Amino acid sequence: MKIALGCDHGGLNLKSAVIRYLEKNNILYEDFGCYDENSVDYPVFAYKTASQVVNGNCDLGILCCGTGIGISIAANKVKGIRAAVVSDAFSAEMTRRHNNANILCMGGRVIGEEKAVKLADIFIHTPFDVEERHLRRLKMVDEIEQGTFSCEQ
């Protein structure tokens, strides 16, 4: 497994903590920036990271900004990305189990480093529950993305 990482200046502390966790646990990763606390534009790093997940170079992604919100909105604009902002363990687990999220987003001004590492661990190690209801719903999400969804049921 290989994890794509990205952040803006507001999420650098969380990304650094996640990198230490990944290295300690011998989990491969690629860091797409940013690399210091100078102000940067989060869409750049959301796109770089999400693109690596979509093209299959990385299995999952982790993005961090001040709240996790902006970077998740930008990542979700990349076709094929299901990015979720998470700040609790239950959500980190369920976004993988039920939504098959492929990018975890967290906020450096919302949670601390210890919690970020715990959430990353849960996200990375939780499998998708391949059940008909989840597959059906994800198919609907894909249809929305493709512009072919119909609400008629």
Side-chain angles (χ1 to χ4, degrees), residues 23-71:
E23 289 176 345
K24 180 180 175 184
N25 289 280
N26 297 311
I27 298 171
L28 296 175
Y29 71 90
E30 193 162 346
D31 183 357
F32 296 96
C34 74
Y35 307 107
D36 59 44
E37 293 181 353
N38 293 321
S39 182
V40 295
D41 299 321
Y42 62 82
V44 171
F45 303 98
Y47 181 78
K48 286 180 178 183
T49 303
S51 295
Q52 295 301 308
V53 173
V54 168
N55 71 21
N57 288 339
C58 295
D59 301 292
L60 296 170
I62 298 175
L63 289 168
C64 304
C65 69
T67 62
I69 297 167
I71 209 158

Side-chain angles (χ1 to χ4, degrees), residues 18-150:
V18 170
I19 286 173
R20 288 189 298 273
Y21 157 80
L22 295 172
E23 289 176 345
K24 180 180 175 184
N25 289 280
N26 297 311
I27 298 171
L28 296 175
Y29 71 90
E30 193 162 346
D31 183 357
F32 296 96
C34 74
Y35 307 107
D36 59 44
E37 293 181 353
N38 293 321
S39 182
V40 295
D41 299 321
Y42 62 82
V44 171
F45 303 98
Y47 181 78
K48 286 180 178 183
T49 303
S51 295
Q52 295 301 308
V53 173
V54 168
N55 71 21
N57 288 339
C58 295
D59 301 292
L60 296 170
I62 298 175
L63 289 168
C64 304
C65 69
T67 62
I69 297 167
I71 209 158
S72 72
I73 291 170
N76 277 314
K77 297 298 181 185
V78 176
K79 189 174 180 180
I81 289 300
R82 291 175 305 281
V85 182
V86 170
S87 58
D88 65 89
F90 180 75
S91 297
E93 178 182 351
M94 299 314 284
T95 198
R96 289 286 302 133
R97 286 203 188 282
H98 290 188
N99 309 117
N100 201 19
N102 49 15
I103 294 186
L104 170 68
C105 300
M106 301 180 285
R109 298 179 185 128
V110 177
I111 63 171
E113 294 177 14
E114 186 176 327
K115 182 170 253 188
V117 167
K118 178 180 179 182
L119 299 179
D121 180 69
I122 292 167
F123 184 81
I124 291 167
H125 292 100
T126 299
F128 173 56
D129 289 343
V130 182
E131 296 177 15
E132 190 280 327
R133 65 188 170 124
H134 303 313
L135 293 170
R136 181 180 69 247
R137 292 167 186 158
L138 287 177
K139 182 177 182 280
M140 290 178 183
V141 171
D142 288 344
E143 289 171 354
I144 291 170
E145 187 174 68
Q146 300 294 328
T148 60
F149 182 72
S150 171

